[in-house]
Amino acid sequence: MPRAIAFVVALLALLALGWIFFGPKGQKGLDPAQGARFALGREDAPVVVVDFSNYLCPHCQNHALNVLPRLKAEYIDTGKVRYLFRDFPFPGQAHVIRAGEAAACAADQGRYYEYHEVLFRSAASWGTLQGEALDRYLVDLAGQLGLDQAAFQACLASGKKREGVLADQKAATDLGLTGTPTFFIAGEKRTGFLPYEEWKALLDKALEGK
């Protein structure tokens, strides 16, 4: 593993540990779906999943690239599950916040899911970038997906999507979340990577009697 990438992974691990030990404990009675901006699946799907992820979290990457496509094909696209995405940048992760802003700009062109996926695929490349270099990379990713780069760049430069990312971060804080990925599956909280077989068992159980 290149030294820069190893440093990013180690730093993320330290931030996560600090969040676990010193982060908030959470408020009761909050709906993790309230305020979610991006979703896949029918609005009237019988089961709702809420996904709080971090673009530099290896377990989130594993889920997004290896599990979510199967969930999409077998549960989301078939109308069984409504899947909500939420950003969970840790304190000090300005570049993760910026990545969330970029994904929101891609959503303006109807390509949130594709951009969300490519952010995880390319995390090793942009995870050490900051400022203008990071913005150039994010705009280039948009171009690779066939998005209108000028519109995307204007959206990103405006900073208008930052508020939504920070609102997701606050929601995670208010819920007392301490790690990523954290999922709410039909209201049941699960933290950490779950293999597809476990997802299938949980979703099938939640769908019983629906």
Side-chain angles (χ1 to χ4, degrees), residues 14-182:
L14 288 173
L15 286 169
L17 284 173
W19 195 264
I20 289 170
F21 288 112
F22 302 110
K25 301 305 179 185
Q27 303 173 22
K28 294 182 179 180
L30 298 180
D31 179 2
Q34 184 65 39
R37 296 163 294 145
F38 311 113
L40 292 175
R42 287 172 28 189
E43 290 186 15
D44 62 347
V47 171
V48 174
V49 171
V50 186
D51 171 351
F52 282 87
S53 286
N54 182 301
Y55 285 115
L56 290 183
C57 157
H59 293 307
C60 302
Q61 181 187 60
N62 193 5
H63 172 79
L65 301 183
N66 299 311
V67 176
L68 183 54
R70 293 186 67 181
L71 297 179
K72 184 175 183 297
E74 298 179 32
Y75 289 93
I76 300 169
D77 291 348
T78 56
K80 299 175 183 177
V81 168
R82 174 84 163 166
Y83 196 98
L84 307 180
F85 299 89
R86 309 205 69 171
D87 292 309
F88 189 8
F90 296 129
Q93 288 189 315
H95 50 337
V96 177
I97 293 173
R98 198 61 167 163
E101 293 179 67
C105 288
D108 284 354
Q109 299 187 43
R111 302 295 296 279
Y112 175 83
Y113 176 69
E114 294 87 347
Y115 200 90
H116 175 85
E117 183 177 60
V118 80
L119 279 173
F120 279 113
R121 290 193 183 281
S122 60
S125 297
W126 64 261
T128 58
L129 301 179
Q130 300 282 352
E132 292 183 4
L134 175 60
D135 282 4
R136 285 195 299 269
Y137 191 92
L138 296 173
V139 171
D140 184 63
L141 282 183
Q144 292 176 35
L145 289 176
L147 301 183
D148 181 333
Q149 281 186 286
F152 182 94
Q153 186 172 20
C155 172
L156 190 62
S158 73
K160 64 183 180 180
K161 302 300 185 181
R162 182 178 176 85
E163 183 179 354
V165 179
L166 295 180
D168 276 2
Q169 184 186 51
K170 183 179 185 303
T173 299
D174 291 344
L175 286 161
L177 306 191
T178 57
T180 54
T182 292

